[in-house]
Amino acid sequence: MKDETKIVVTGRDPKAHAGAVNTPVYHASTIIYPSLAAIRGTEKIPYTYGRRGTPTTAALQNAMNALEGADGTMLTASGASAVSLAILSAVEAGRHLLMVDSVYQPTRKLCDQLLAGLGVETEYYDPLIGGDIAALIRDNTAMIFMESPGSQTFEIQDVPAIVAAAQKAGVKTAIDNTWATPLHFRPLDHGVDFSVLAATKYVVGHADALLGTVAAKGENFTKLQSVHGLIGHSVGPDDVFLALRGLRTMPTRMKQHQTAALQIAEWLQGLSFVRKVLYPALPGAPGHALWQRDFSGAGGLFTVELDPCSEAQLAAMLDNMRLFAMGYSWGGFESLIVPCKIARTVTPYETDGQMLRLNIGLEHIDDLKDDLRDGFARAGYKI
Ligand SMILES: *Cc1c(COP(=O)(O)O)cnc(C)c1O
């Protein structure tokens, strides 16, 4: 079955739910055991306690397993908690963590402000390091964490080369795959141990719920499931339902996000005051060759670097946009625009230019271009 079909048919069982197309929302903490044998554990029952899962959570887990090619997927209450769950499934005190320098900023803060105090040493590495990561692996390295493309600057990592180096040294790998989703890049097929998704973005897709997933195979999944339980992660069933609802249309939405993002990126590239368009799906953009080699599609999020402008000019543009709103998160149906904040330690991104990150939504491409064109004019760019 192709992914589009899998996404429609998996995680649903109308016969088990009065014919309803969608798995209902089970609100449950207590689950009643049918017998003493069941509560003793000698008789196996599928659900034992709300935190450990219900038919609603199982529906999303089954659908994600199909999409990720995973043995199991654990759900968390946000993308950020999915990141920490994946890391805590492999690192412990005294161990060393190799973290990509272009990582999502809250992941960096987790390493610097929490893991450091727990005795985990984080070392940041160049997102373009590829197989040379082998030289950074130490005897106590527990995990290499990747995010590709990187947040804000969209470097594509050579995941196969990094995984090969990690496997040779017996080091676990994880990737934050939020931008591509397993529709366009399947981490587990590439030998990555933990596939992390901020499902808040393209899975939920409607800017109305937070959710994270971590998928794995074999013993990695066993460990992941255990750590998930120990931490006490749980997601409310209404949010799981929203994720399931979003998932059904994700391939269709992503096609449009990609088509529109590519057309807008091409248009931007031709403007005289645009210095760089950091969108790996754009021919000629940084990372395009690796993206072509490893990905089957793209997200609709990218960064554009413009000639410098003053804060007042930028405010004139951003405060008066009709469609592109300013706000964090992305992957919803609506377009967003934010100025970039780039925090790096080993690969500083030096520029005096104006960096803007665009989330291309599902509005008509012509309307989006008009909104940007008028905004650039307000900022004093010659358009
Ligand atoms: C948004 C995001 C997250 C965190 O997701 P939340 O659901 O907001 O916690 C993690 N990684 C990346 C790459 C993101 O863009």
Side-chain angles (χ1 to χ4, degrees), residues 78-81 83 104 147 151 176 178 198 200-201 210-211 329-330:
S78 69
S81 54
V83 167
Y104 179 65
E147 184 182 314
S151 276
D176 184 331
T178 300
T200 305
K201 312 292 165 55
L210 292 152
L211 203 130
S329 203
W330 50 277

Side-chain angles (χ1 to χ4, degrees), residues 62-310:
N62 291 339
M64 291 309 298
N65 290 344
L67 194 57
E68 297 262 18
D71 290 341
T73 301
M74 297 314 291
L75 310 180
T76 68
S78 69
S81 54
V83 167
S84 66
L85 172 63
I87 294 175
L88 292 172
S89 296
V91 305
E92 54 195 14
R95 303 296 297 268
H96 173 240
L97 168 66
L98 282 166
M99 175 58 67
V100 64
D101 204 26
S102 51
V103 79
Y104 179 65
Q105 261 200 57
T107 302
R108 178 180 285 273
K109 286 187 183 163
L110 166 74
C111 297
D112 297 348
Q113 297 178 22
L114 185 72
L115 295 180
L118 298 177
V120 176
E121 185 191 348
T122 301
E123 179 178 351
Y124 293 95
Y125 66 87
D126 182 342
L128 304 180
I129 198 166
D132 291 345
I133 192 120
L136 299 183
I137 295 175
R138 306 180 193 166
D139 289 344
N140 67 338
T141 304
M143 174 179 262
I144 301 173
F145 194 99
M146 298 169 272
E147 184 182 314
S148 181
S151 276
Q152 316 273 356
T153 44
F154 295 87
E155 292 90 346
I156 296 282
Q157 295 194 250
D158 192 341
V159 174
I162 291 172
V163 167
Q167 285 179 345
K168 200 164 163 218
V171 170
K172 296 290 184 195
T173 50
I175 190 165
D176 184 331
N177 190 39
T178 300
W179 183 84
T181 81
L183 263 185
H184 294 325
F185 182 79
R186 295 235 304 192
L188 303 181
D189 288 357
H190 286 271
V192 177
D193 295 303
F194 299 97
S195 172
V196 179
L197 212 56
T200 305
K201 312 292 165 55
Y202 287 126
V203 175
V204 169
H206 295 70
D208 51 7
L210 292 152
L211 203 130
T213 64
V214 187
K217 288 184 186 175
E219 63 180 30
N220 289 327
F221 176 66
T222 307
K223 187 73 199 295
L224 172 70
Q225 191 177 29
S226 153
V227 174
H228 180 275
L230 292 171
I231 294 175
H233 281 296
S234 173
V235 188
D238 294 310
D239 288 345
V240 174
F241 185 85
L242 288 174
L244 276 162
R245 166 187 276 224
L247 185 67
R248 306 300 178 197
T249 58
M250 184 170 80
T252 312
R253 286 185 283 111
M254 286 198 75
K255 252 179 221 145
Q256 177 59 19
H257 286 302
Q258 177 175 348
T259 302
L262 193 57
Q263 282 189 33
I264 290 172
E266 277 165 354
W267 170 68
L268 288 168
Q269 201 177 30
L271 301 176
S272 61
F273 53 87
V274 172
R275 292 179 174 178
K276 278 185 196 152
V277 181
L278 303 176
Y279 187 42
L282 179 68
H288 182 68
L290 277 184
W291 173 80
Q292 243 182 346
R293 187 192 71 182
D294 294 344
F295 291 67
S296 60
L301 185 81
F302 64 87
T303 290
V304 58
E305 182 180 334
L306 311 174
D307 284 342
C309 70
S310 71

